[in-house]
Amino acid sequence: MALPMAISFQAAGKTDVGCVRANNEDNFGFDERYGIHVVCDGMGGHEAGEEASQLAVQTVLDYFRNAGEDRRYPAPIMAVEGASVRSSALASAVHLANKAVYGAGSGHSADRRMGSTIVCVLTEGDFYSTAHVGDSRIYRIRDHAIEQLTEDHSLVMEQVRRGLITREEAEHSQHQNIIVRALGSEDSVQPDVDEQLALVGDRLLLCSDGLTRHLSSATLLQIIDHAPTPDEACAILVAAARDAGGEDNITCMVIRAGSRPWYRPGSSSPGGKPAWQSSF
């Protein structure tokens, strides 16, 4: 008789300045002890975007680290109607990240105003919650097919939603970089939050638009479907985006859902590596 299995998650991430930009305004971080994974793409004047994305990632990680491995979340700041405690906690962490970025930028001159996109995934048991603000994306690869789990908070996607342009036209629009929702632009922000059931073999891709502006969904699928590990997938994705022009900073994170026997508690990375990582 087969032993009962549970889902375990393994993550890897990589960020690269690209081929054109002088500094990297992207940041990422994850901590598998608490199931939290974050990618942010900063915006602002000199070094302001880098500061914004770093502050957002650190705020979200700290929220879940402070809750501990037993996940004793504080009362939700931003409850999501009909959603799990996990999803409300994720929304609350994004709300705090927005407060931190908004507060850090409000005292600066116009050329130091800062903002950031954010995508994050919180895993727990056989489920995961997603949250995002801006045009960074989350994709799921399952059964050799890719699905985008997020909708960009951008001008062109708003035009698509209203039927003014097609998705194909949006992909080639000169206004792709105009964001209509971001961390730090106002003192409050509403993240889009969702919940999913994980299946063994699922891969999740979190990425900034520096990756997706160069690589099609079909290319993302091909790379991730054939890469043996999340770490190798990230390395190949970044190299492909650089080869395609690398006009922006490039950041990606791949999370793989694997099986774990019921008698093996906890989560760890293979080879004795630490189960948490950050780009700063």
Side-chain angles (χ1 to χ4, degrees):
M1 184 176 66
L3 292 172
M5 306 295 284
I7 299 291
S8 66
F9 296 93
Q10 178 193 0
K14 186 174 179 62
T15 188
D16 188 275
V17 70
C19 303
V20 176
R21 299 291 182 90
N23 66 310
N24 193 348
E25 294 186 320
D26 289 1
N27 271 288
F28 76 90
F30 63 90
D31 196 327
E32 292 176 345
R33 297 171 299 179
Y34 312 104
I36 185 62
H37 312 76
V38 193
V39 168
C40 290
D41 179 355
M43 301 170 286
H46 179 62
E47 296 184 352
E50 184 177 353
E51 182 181 342
S53 63
Q54 180 173 328
L55 183 58
V57 170
Q58 192 64 61
T59 300
V60 173
L61 292 179
D62 286 347
Y63 179 91
F64 292 99
R65 286 167 175 165
N66 290 337
E69 292 190 45
D70 55 357
R71 308 201 181 203
R72 294 185 178 181
Y73 305 127
I77 301 169
M78 183 174 285
V80 180
E81 185 176 356
S84 66
V85 172
R86 178 186 60 252
S87 291
S88 292
L90 194 58
S92 296
V94 172
H95 176 79
L96 289 175
N98 179 75
K99 285 283 191 183
V101 175
Y102 181 79
S106 60
H108 293 306
S109 58
D111 66 344
R112 282 280 297 166
R113 295 290 171 83
M114 58 180 64
S116 180
T117 70
I118 188 169
V119 285
C120 40
V121 170
L122 179 63
T123 62
E124 184 175 15
D126 293 350
F127 295 87
Y128 59 90
S129 296
T130 63
H132 85 286
V133 176
D135 64 349
S136 294
R137 295 178 179 177
I138 302 174
Y139 293 86
R140 179 178 64 199
I141 292 84
R142 175 183 287 174
D143 295 332
H144 310 295
I146 188 168
E147 179 182 0
Q148 185 176 330
L149 299 183
T150 56
E151 286 284 353
D152 296 353
H153 297 143
S154 64
L155 176 61
V156 293
M157 282 310 302
E158 186 61 32
Q159 292 174 324
V160 170
R161 284 188 281 269
R162 297 185 182 191
L164 301 176
I165 62 175
T166 66
R167 284 185 178 269
E168 183 177 359
E169 289 171 331
E171 291 296 328
H172 298 90
S173 172
Q174 296 180 347
H175 305 296
Q176 282 186 351
N177 62 336
I178 300 177
I179 307 302
V180 298
R181 200 186 310 179
L183 299 182
S185 58
E186 299 180 6
D187 64 353
S188 182
V189 71
Q190 182 66 51
D192 287 352
V193 179
D194 198 10
E195 299 182 337
Q196 303 282 343
L197 173 67
L199 300 180
V200 172
D202 282 356
R203 271 76 44 84
L204 298 176
L205 169 65
L206 291 69
C207 59
S208 63
D209 68 336
L211 185 78
T212 54
R213 73 172 52 188
H214 289 302
L215 304 182
S216 67
S217 295
T219 301
L220 298 176
L221 171 63
Q222 182 180 30
I223 291 173
I224 296 174
D225 229 14
H226 289 85
T229 66
D231 189 64
E232 291 178 75
C234 290
I236 297 169
L237 288 167
V238 168
R242 286 182 60 90
D243 288 345
E247 296 173 3
D248 199 355
N249 307 144
I250 307 159
T251 300
C252 58
M253 183 185 300
V254 174
I255 308 169
R256 182 173 65 185
S259 57
R260 183 178 70 242
W262 66 270
Y263 55 82
R264 185 178 299 163
S267 169
S268 61
S269 295
K273 297 179 181 179
W276 61 95
Q277 182 173 338
S278 175
S279 62
F280 54 86

